[in-house]
Amino acid sequence: MSKKSVEVLDTTLRDGSQGANISFTLNDKIRVALALDELGVDYIEAGWPGSNPKDEEFFKEIKKYSLTHARIAAFGSTRKKEFNAKEDPNLNAIIKSDVDVAVLFGKSWLLHVTDVLRIKPEDNLEIVYDSINYLKSHGLKVIFDAEHFYQGFKDNREYALKVLKIAEEAKVDIIALADTNGGTLPHEVYEITKVVVGEVRTKIGLHMHNDSGCAVANSLMGILAGARHVQGTINGIGERTGNADLIQIIPNLALKMGFNVLKGKESLKKLREVSRLVYELAGLHPNPYQPYVGDFAFTHKAGVHADAVMKVSRAYEHIDPSLVGNTRRFVISELSGTSNLVTYLEDLGLKVDKKDERLKSALKKIKELENKGYSFDLAPSSAILVALKELGIYEKKINVEYWKVINESSNLSIAVVKVNGQLEVSEGVGPVHAVDLALRKALQKVYPEISNVKLTDYRVILPGEIKNTESVVRVTIEFTDNIITWKTVGVSSSVIEASILALIDGLDYYLQYKKLKTLKNN
């Protein structure tokens, strides 16, 4: 690797899985490993062989797949004080896992040596040397994670550096300085790492935890100080408050600091996809505010921002969102200007001047609705219906004359609706499902394209503060026809009525969209 390259080790499958409420199945681990290989990380720290059957099985199973870039690494500790290296079960489990890279952690903070291991300082040095030397003698590449290094350096600089130099004598390949309790600040990381790089010839790496909220910053500062190997997890998952988030570190290195990472800048376009996969398999909701890949990372709400971005994107965006697989979004709200509406209308093929008085009238009505509990941030399609009506483009296609829902049991609801003169009855699993089926029955007779529409998400929200109105619930529903996706919102003091309003808006929006697209194509 060149001096301007930084190696990336991903420990999502090992350190990431130590996060509370996170558990990957064997199949999950395989899927993540394959995605990381495609992304282009250099090492995948996949688990601790000998610690549990699942990790042992993974190392066997992954052999069935041909990785194109990443090298699988097995994790473990230096030998126990009561064993010599040849007898140590942990070291032999790493060898048995049949990998060509081992990641060993060992003590570099004298406090841990004397008060936790309860051995002499020189005995710890011997343990570190023996463990690395034993794995090297079996042909493995060895990465040594100097546990609690920054705390150890501040406590006893001479001893912490001795541990690194004994690892170097054992011909270790990489030394990763670990901020294991996450308490070191960026300026300290820079200063200490710079000292290490000046005194140790071996390639220096970083392993940061996020207990003080500085894991990403610490990683970047360590690289500025001369480290050329970085460890972290996808989305920053991990023990306690998590690890350094590679989803943030990688684009910062590549796009802002000029380092070569992964397989080149094209690899960065997979970051959002990999982030979403790990969230899904970990059973976590994606963080919409996550830098670079979150839904809101390039979302503009304030009218001034939206107007500026439409003219010159870099006026408010630090990078082109497509570089990391993300997209620009505009939301419509009480803070919006007409520029936000114009953007959505352009997507429908409508060219409207942002100074058009009808748009200002639409925005006024949207703000009035938000004052009553509506929120169009995540459900802009309902706001677009308001704008279409003010522009005189809206064509009424759905006329709901009557609806009633009867809950027969916890598993069965019956909906009766009269739509466009058609009376229909349907049974469903819950009231919203029943109404959805009844509406479709009535509408598909005139609009067969409604059969393409599927509901993909349904959420009930209790707004924290509503001005000048009684307590209400807000329902958002997401739809797709497998080509486009849209969201609508309904608000009422009744959750069923709010759901029906969002449902009707969703079907209505689709019919308006199809009409406008047909007109544009003709």
Side-chain angles (χ1 to χ4, degrees):
M1 281 190 150
S2 71
K3 289 184 179 179
K4 287 295 285 182
S5 294
V6 176
E7 290 182 338
V8 176
L9 181 147
D10 181 277
T11 182
T12 302
L13 298 179
R14 200 277 303 171
D15 217 343
S17 67
Q18 291 178 197
N21 297 326
I22 293 174
S23 179
F24 296 114
T25 66
L26 176 60
N27 187 55
D28 291 341
K29 294 188 71 160
I30 295 294
R31 287 181 65 187
V32 171
L34 296 177
L36 292 171
D37 177 55
E38 190 177 351
L39 179 64
V41 304
D42 299 287
Y43 306 96
I44 300 170
E45 188 179 272
W48 189 332
S51 67
N52 65 82
K54 189 195 302 177
D55 281 0
E56 288 184 19
E57 189 62 29
F58 172 86
F59 288 108
K60 295 175 185 174
E61 189 68 19
I62 197 64
K63 293 287 185 184
K64 299 175 183 177
Y65 299 86
S66 298
L67 303 187
T68 60
H69 185 84
R71 300 170 72 179
I72 298 294
F75 179 81
S77 68
T78 51
R79 69 168 173 83
K80 294 185 181 299
K81 59 185 179 182
E82 59 267 27
F83 293 114
N84 62 45
K86 292 180 182 179
E87 297 170 340
D88 187 79
N90 174 66
L91 296 178
N92 286 317
I94 291 175
I95 294 168
K96 188 179 176 183
S97 69
D98 195 26
V99 295
D100 57 2
V101 181
V103 180
L104 276 187
F105 76 90
K107 306 299 183 184
S108 59
W109 186 1
L110 197 55
L111 172 74
H112 275 255
V113 175
T114 57
D115 291 26
V116 179
L117 289 183
R118 296 183 177 178
I119 58 175
K120 297 176 182 177
E122 55 270 25
D123 290 341
N124 180 59
L125 296 177
E126 187 178 336
I127 285 172
V128 170
Y129 182 91
D130 288 349
S131 302
I132 295 170
N133 183 61
Y134 181 61
L135 293 180
K136 290 293 294 182
S137 71
H138 282 78
L140 276 77
K141 180 170 187 173
V142 179
I143 301 169
F144 176 62
D145 281 3
E147 191 184 31
H148 292 285
F149 177 77
Y150 292 94
Q151 290 74 32
F153 185 95
K154 288 187 282 185
D155 184 48
N156 188 316
R157 168 176 172 159
E158 183 183 357
Y159 186 77
L161 287 172
K162 264 187 185 179
V163 173
L164 304 190
K165 289 179 178 179
I166 203 72
E168 189 169 56
E169 284 180 30
K171 302 290 192 290
V172 73
D173 296 279
I174 298 165
I175 296 172
L177 312 179
D179 184 32
T180 312
N181 70 14
T184 311
L185 296 179
H187 69 285
E188 297 175 300
V189 167
Y190 179 82
E191 292 163 1
I192 294 171
T193 306
K194 198 165 184 64
V195 170
V196 172
V197 170
E199 296 203 20
V200 178
R201 295 186 303 276
T202 302
K203 181 183 288 185
I204 297 301
L206 307 157
H207 182 104
M208 302 295 177
H209 284 258
N210 200 40
D211 298 73
S212 58
C214 295
V216 170
N218 283 345
S219 299
L220 299 178
M221 291 301 286
I223 289 164
L224 279 178
R228 290 297 178 263
H229 168 104
V230 66
Q231 302 180 4
T233 62
I234 300 299
N235 303 324
I237 62 173
E239 192 99 27
R240 303 183 309 279
T241 59
N243 289 47
D245 185 1
L246 290 177
I247 293 294
Q248 297 174 54
I249 291 170
I250 289 167
N252 278 326
L253 291 176
L255 302 176
K256 296 180 180 291
M257 297 170 69
F259 285 99
N260 298 317
V261 288
L262 306 181
K263 294 183 287 188
K265 289 184 180 179
E266 280 298 305
S267 299
L268 271 60
K269 293 180 179 179
K270 299 182 187 298
L271 284 173
R272 178 175 159 88
E273 177 187 331
V274 173
S275 169
R276 287 303 177 104
L277 175 67
V278 171
Y279 275 127
E280 177 190 338
L281 298 180
L284 302 173
H285 289 297
N287 174 11
Y289 301 100
Q290 188 173 6
Y292 288 106
V293 300
D295 281 348
F296 299 159
F298 299 95
T299 294
H300 305 280
K301 182 173 180 177
V304 172
H305 289 211
D307 185 55
V309 166
M310 289 172 66
K311 293 172 182 172
V312 185
S313 60
R314 65 190 179 93
Y316 277 96
E317 290 178 347
H318 65 113
I319 65 160
D320 178 345
S322 67
L323 294 175
V324 289
N326 211 342
T327 55
R328 179 180 301 121
R329 296 173 178 83
F330 296 92
V331 298
I332 300 168
S333 75
E334 62 184 358
L335 299 178
S336 302
T338 54
S339 296
N340 299 53
L341 284 173
V342 166
T343 302
Y344 280 99
L345 293 170
E346 284 180 351
D347 289 342
L348 295 174
L350 299 171
K351 296 290 183 183
V352 185
D353 191 313
K354 70 177 183 179
K355 296 179 181 178
D356 193 311
E357 289 298 322
R358 297 172 297 174
L359 283 185
K360 293 179 181 178
S361 177
L363 195 59
K364 181 181 178 182
K365 290 192 174 181
I366 288 165
K367 291 179 179 181
E368 288 171 356
L369 287 169
E370 287 217 333
N371 197 42
K372 293 177 181 178
Y374 279 78
S375 176
F376 300 103
D377 286 25
L378 292 178
S381 299
S382 288
I384 295 305
L385 290 174
V386 175
L388 293 178
K389 290 172 184 176
E390 290 301 306
L391 291 168
I393 297 170
Y394 178 84
E395 180 184 339
K396 192 172 181 66
K397 292 177 176 289
I398 302 177
N399 180 30
V400 179
E401 303 166 53
Y402 171 85
W403 64 266
K404 184 175 180 67
V405 177
I406 304 164
N407 287 312
E408 288 291 316
S409 68
S410 59
N411 297 319
L412 176 65
S413 294
I414 299 172
V416 182
V417 300
K418 188 175 183 182
V419 184
N420 298 355
Q422 298 284 327
L423 188 68
E424 293 292 348
V425 180
S426 288
E427 293 180 356
V429 182
V432 179
H433 184 229
V435 171
D436 181 35
L437 294 177
L439 283 172
R440 288 168 186 269
K441 266 190 195 178
L443 292 172
Q444 284 174 14
K445 294 174 182 177
V446 183
Y447 309 115
E449 61 267 38
I450 286 289
S451 63
N452 297 325
V453 177
K454 296 183 293 187
L455 276 66
T456 54
D457 191 38
Y458 170 85
R459 299 194 181 200
V460 179
I461 302 162
L462 299 174
E465 179 187 351
I466 302 301
K467 305 167 190 172
N468 307 321
T469 188
E470 63 184 335
S471 178
V472 296
V473 294
R474 181 192 306 142
V475 171
T476 60
I477 302 179
E478 183 180 78
F479 304 81
T480 186
D481 66 349
N482 292 323
I483 298 173
I484 63 165
T485 300
W486 65 101
K487 279 188 177 181
T488 53
V489 60
V491 169
S492 171
S493 57
S494 159
V495 68
I496 295 176
E497 184 176 39
S499 302
I500 290 170
L501 291 172
L503 183 60
I504 292 169
D505 264 13
L507 299 175
D508 193 12
Y509 176 84
Y510 186 65
L511 294 175
Q512 303 298 326
Y513 168 83
K514 295 295 283 187
K515 181 198 78 169
L516 291 170
K517 287 297 181 182
T518 301
L519 289 174
K520 182 183 178 183
N521 293 335
N522 291 338

